[in-house]
């Protein structure tokens, strides 16, 4: 079993346990898993940073009279609150994510 397969194996068991309504001890007993190994992987997975990915609907409005010119074929985004963010084609994705969390 590859490292990725092992990680997925334990991730699947952790998720199944969380959805089972069973105590941790009862879940590992019913599934024949070592309780210490289960606990180790549970802690490791819970402490791992979780990527934040959110799909946001995008409306393209070619008739917008308030268009913002962006350099180098960039794009502009308008948040639901009315903030406009103009982005060059080489924008920093991490910076944009932080900005949208603040103004979104």
């Amino acid at each position: 079993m590859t490292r990725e397969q092992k990680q997925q194996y334990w991730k699947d068991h952790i998720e199944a346990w969380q959805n089972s309504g069973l105590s941790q001890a009862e879940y590992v007993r019913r599934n024949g898993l070592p309780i210490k190994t289960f606990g180790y992987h549970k802690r490791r997975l819970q402490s791992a940073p979780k990527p934040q990915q959110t799909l946001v609907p995008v409306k393209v409005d070619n008739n917008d009279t308030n268009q913002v010119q962006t350099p180098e074929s960039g794009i502009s985004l308008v948040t639901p609150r009315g903030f406009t963010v103009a982005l060059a084609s080489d924008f920093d994705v991490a910076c944009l994510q932080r900005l949208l969390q603040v103004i979104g």
Side-chain angles (χ1 to χ4, degrees):
M1 189 181 296
T2 67
R3 182 179 184 183
E4 290 80 18
Q5 290 171 326
K6 287 179 187 177
Q7 288 175 344
Q8 189 62 49
Y9 172 84
W10 287 106
K11 182 180 178 190
D12 291 345
H13 269 295
I14 302 297
E15 289 176 3
W17 162 66
Q18 290 171 331
N19 294 325
S20 72
L22 299 173
S23 70
Q24 181 176 320
E26 182 63 19
Y27 180 86
V28 297
R29 187 187 66 73
R30 288 187 185 186
N31 288 277
L33 301 169
I35 192 150
K36 288 184 179 183
T37 306
F38 185 90
Y40 164 80
H41 287 284
K42 182 182 82 164
R43 285 187 305 278
R44 188 180 60 75
L45 289 170
Q46 289 175 341
S47 67
K50 298 187 178 38
Q52 291 185 329
Q53 296 180 349
T54 305
L55 296 177
V56 178
V58 175
K59 177 184 165 197
V60 178
D61 187 354
N62 293 327
N63 298 321
D64 188 358
T65 57
N66 296 322
Q67 293 181 5
V68 176
Q69 296 298 320
T70 59
E72 303 171 19
S73 301
I75 62 172
S76 64
L77 303 173
V78 180
T79 70
R81 293 185 186 172
F83 292 101
T84 300
V85 180
L87 306 167
S89 59
D90 61 345
F91 69 91
D92 180 343
V93 174
C95 182
L96 174 62
Q97 287 174 332
R98 288 191 304 270
L99 174 65
L100 292 177
Q101 287 174 348
V102 171
I103 67 172

